[in-house]
Amino acid sequence: MARLHIRTGVNPDEPDEPVVTLRVDPEGSPGERAVARLGDHCYEGDGVLFLSQTDGWAEHALDGCLLTVDIAVRPSALGHTGADLRAFPGRSAVDPEAVLVLRAETEADPELYARAAPATAVFTAPPDHELDAGVHWPMLLAPPPEE
């Protein structure tokens, strides 16, 4: 099961800045597997992987203390992961052509969330595996594109 958190210390350039982080299991649900395989189609930065915003993004919604993050991916990018598009009937509220591949929820402090970076950091690792920021490069997902 994907795990969602808001934590500091993720961005070495801004260690006090909260970041919405999502941990996906590469052997988990179809959505987790699809998100994990998106990392193969990213471009590398300084210790991070960037998914082009034209390929996919993270949509955030905060309702009281419940933070919901939806990962939306364009069908062409999702097809490159080998995922079966029929397994993902949901569509993005921002762009109905984009497929919703994963939803994660967590209780979140609204004040902490208000200070969070706009990008979502996705780490891929089995649930029993300890993450090491120096070894596990996060995939950064931008917010949805603006029309």
Side-chain angles (χ1 to χ4, degrees):
M1 173 190 278
R3 290 189 264 171
L4 182 64
H5 303 279
I6 301 175
R7 58 181 50 156
T8 58
V10 176
N11 181 350
D13 295 331
E14 299 285 339
D16 294 330
E17 179 181 46
V19 176
V20 175
T21 62
L22 179 65
R23 180 183 180 139
V24 296
D25 180 354
E27 301 299 323
S29 70
E32 286 182 275
R33 292 191 311 267
V35 171
R37 287 192 300 261
L38 284 173
D40 295 338
H41 304 284
C42 292
Y43 58 95
E44 292 183 17
D46 187 17
V48 297
L49 302 171
F50 294 98
L51 182 66
S52 172
Q53 192 180 40
T54 59
D55 288 340
W57 56 85
E59 300 175 6
H60 295 186
L62 184 65
D63 183 11
C65 291
L66 181 65
L67 174 62
T68 302
V69 173
D70 288 329
I71 306 300
V73 181
R74 298 247 185 242
S76 59
L78 186 58
H80 290 297
T81 70
D84 181 359
L85 292 171
R86 295 171 294 183
F88 304 103
R91 295 294 180 257
S92 165
V94 174
D95 181 348
E97 291 182 21
V99 178
L100 290 181
V101 296
L102 187 64
R103 170 172 279 180
E105 297 179 327
T106 192
E107 292 292 317
D109 175 353
E111 290 179 20
L112 184 64
Y113 176 72
R115 298 189 342 260
T120 301
V122 178
F123 290 91
T124 300
D128 58 348
H129 190 82
E130 188 161 334
L131 290 176
D132 179 350
V135 174
H136 294 89
W137 285 20
M139 175 175 47
L140 293 184
L141 302 178
E146 302 208 7
E147 300 195 282

